[in-house]
């Protein structure tokens, strides 16, 4: 059973979700703050009313003789409460409790006469808000009158919830309107990508940059990344075309020679002629194989390094002698004295092991081919004052005319009319490998005759630690 393809992410949906979640959190926070503000406002209003009630009742009782009883008007005002959530007490310093509930506690801090005292209290398991006023009564017998009025917190909270409900409804409508505007704005804003989309859709195989003045700033990192990718693709295609052209140019001659000597062998079946033709065919086959190998090596050297890089710290003082030793038997077969000179102290460089192997192999190949039989080739390794390393390959061959030294690293360039087989790619490969390692390639003639090829490697970065 074919599994359904996963849904593609939507930029519009992500933007709306990223906006909706913070807005919902803000709405919740605003609701909490609104409830706190509304409750504080309700408490202030009710406290003021409660204090006014206590002061009014105290004044009313002060102006009327008590005689141990409350007047009808005072009792009505104290006992009237539609919800039955009010409590009161009236005390006389001379006669005690005149009316109300004796359980209502007095304020924790006494106040001056005529000044209401507001405080919290509890009665029958209910949290109360109470106001107490003390008034001096006329006549010595009456003493001081204390009026306490208390109410539950239900009405305050009810009013706070009503205010909160009104605020939340209004804010929810406001957020819905804002989200609608955001949705409309996102849809309209993303239309700015339409010209870029159309420009890309209209292309066939064109790899020119897509960045332009109509690309928004927020999209520029993406377009620049795409342009960089296009640039790498252009380089790869150019490298591909160059490889095909170079292969056609370099393989044409040996292939033509192979065809010619094959026709000669077929035309004259004599053993001597066929042996000579086969010898030429063998030599041309080796040349073609060598050319193809060099072309591939040049293409690898010219290609961009892989993402993340493959370079690591390499001790040339250990690796170079090993690489030179691999070529000793070949040098002996060619009648060449191949040697190595270098110290035992480590010489670290940041490089690619395979690339350094190709670099040294091509330097030795170049010296072997052009120094001639019976010559001497010396590979030297030296430390540089700046912390880098120098790899030198010297021979005592005929050398190179001074005016041709700068051209030695050109592709397919060969000095003079040299009869030595070769493709003219060895030093070009060395140049590209040295460039990838940040190294400098230097050619110079040495006395009394011969050529020195020097590769000066920079010191490794300080942040890279040498392996143990």
């Amino acid at each position: 059973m074919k599994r359904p393809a996963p849904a593609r992410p939507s930029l519009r949906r992500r933007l709306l979700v990223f906006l909706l979640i913070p807005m919902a959190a803000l709405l919740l926070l605003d609701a909490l703050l609104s409830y706190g503000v509304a409750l504080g406002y309700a408490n202030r209003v009710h406290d003021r009313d409660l204090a006014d009630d206590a002061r009014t009742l105290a004044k009313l009782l002060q102006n009327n003789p008590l005689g141990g009883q409350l007047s009808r008007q005072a009792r009505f005002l104290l006992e009237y409460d539609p919800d039955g959530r009010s409590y009161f007490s009236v005390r006389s310093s001379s006669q005690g409790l005149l009316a109300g509930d004796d359980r209502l506690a007095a304020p924790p801090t006494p106040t001056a006469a005529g000044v209401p005292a507001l405080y919290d209290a509890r009665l029958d398991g209910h949290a109360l808000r109470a106001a107490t006023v003390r008034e001096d009564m006329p006549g010595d017998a009456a003493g001081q009158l204390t009026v306490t009025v208390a109410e539950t917190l239900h009405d305050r909270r009810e009013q706070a919830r009503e205010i909160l409900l009104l605020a939340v409804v209004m804010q929810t409508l406001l957020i819905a309107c804002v989200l609608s505007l955001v949705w409309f704005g996102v849809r309209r804003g993303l239309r700015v990508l339409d010209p870029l989309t159309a420009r890309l859709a209209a292309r066939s195989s064109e790899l020119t940059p897509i960045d332009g003045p109509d690309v928004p700033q927020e999209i520029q990192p993406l377009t620049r990344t795409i342009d960089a990718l296009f640039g790498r693709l252009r380089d790869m295609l150019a490298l591909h075309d160059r490889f095909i052209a170079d292969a056609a140019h370099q393989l044409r001659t040996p292939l033509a020679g192979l065809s010619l000597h094959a026709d000669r062998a077929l035309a004259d079946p004599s053993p001597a002629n066929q042996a000579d033709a086969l010898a030429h065919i063998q030599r041309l086959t080796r040349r073609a194989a060598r050319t193809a190998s060099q072309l591939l090596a040049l293409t690898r050297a010219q290609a961009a390094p892989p993402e993340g890089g493959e370079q690591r710290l390499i001790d040339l003082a250990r690796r170079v002698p090993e690489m030179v030793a691999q070529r000793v038997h070949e040098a002996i077969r060619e009648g060449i004295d191949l040697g190595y000179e270098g110290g035992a102290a480590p010489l670290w460089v940041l490089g690619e092991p395979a690339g350094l192997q190709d670099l040294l192999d091509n330097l030795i190949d170049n010296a072997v081919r052009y120094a001639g039989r019976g010559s001497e080739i010396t590979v030297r390794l030296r430390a540089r004052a700046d912390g880098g390393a120098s790899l030198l390959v010297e021979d005592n061959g005929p050398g190179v005319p001074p005016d041709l030294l700068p051209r030695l690293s050109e592709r397919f360039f060969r000095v003079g009319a040299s009869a030595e087989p070769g493709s003219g790619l060895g030093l070009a490969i060395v140049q590209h490998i040295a460039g990838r390692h940040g190294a400098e390639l230097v050619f110079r003639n040495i006395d009394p005759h011969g050529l020195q090829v020097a590769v000066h490697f920079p010191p490794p970065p300080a942040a890279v630690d040498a392996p143990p």
Side-chain angles (χ1 to χ4, degrees), residues 34 51 58 93 100 148 173 176 187 198 206 209 233 245 250 288 308 313 316-317 322 343 389 392 415:
S34 297
S93 59
T148 301
L173 291 176
R187 293 190 61 183
E206 192 176 354
L233 288 176
Q250 290 297 307
L313 280 178
L316 292 182
E322 296 175 356
L392 303 98
V415 177

Side-chain angles (χ1 to χ4, degrees), residues 3-19:
R3 299 177 61 182
R8 292 182 177 273
S10 170
L11 183 58
R12 294 185 180 91
R13 185 165 57 249
R14 286 174 64 89
L15 288 174
L16 288 175
V17 168
F18 288 152
L19 289 172

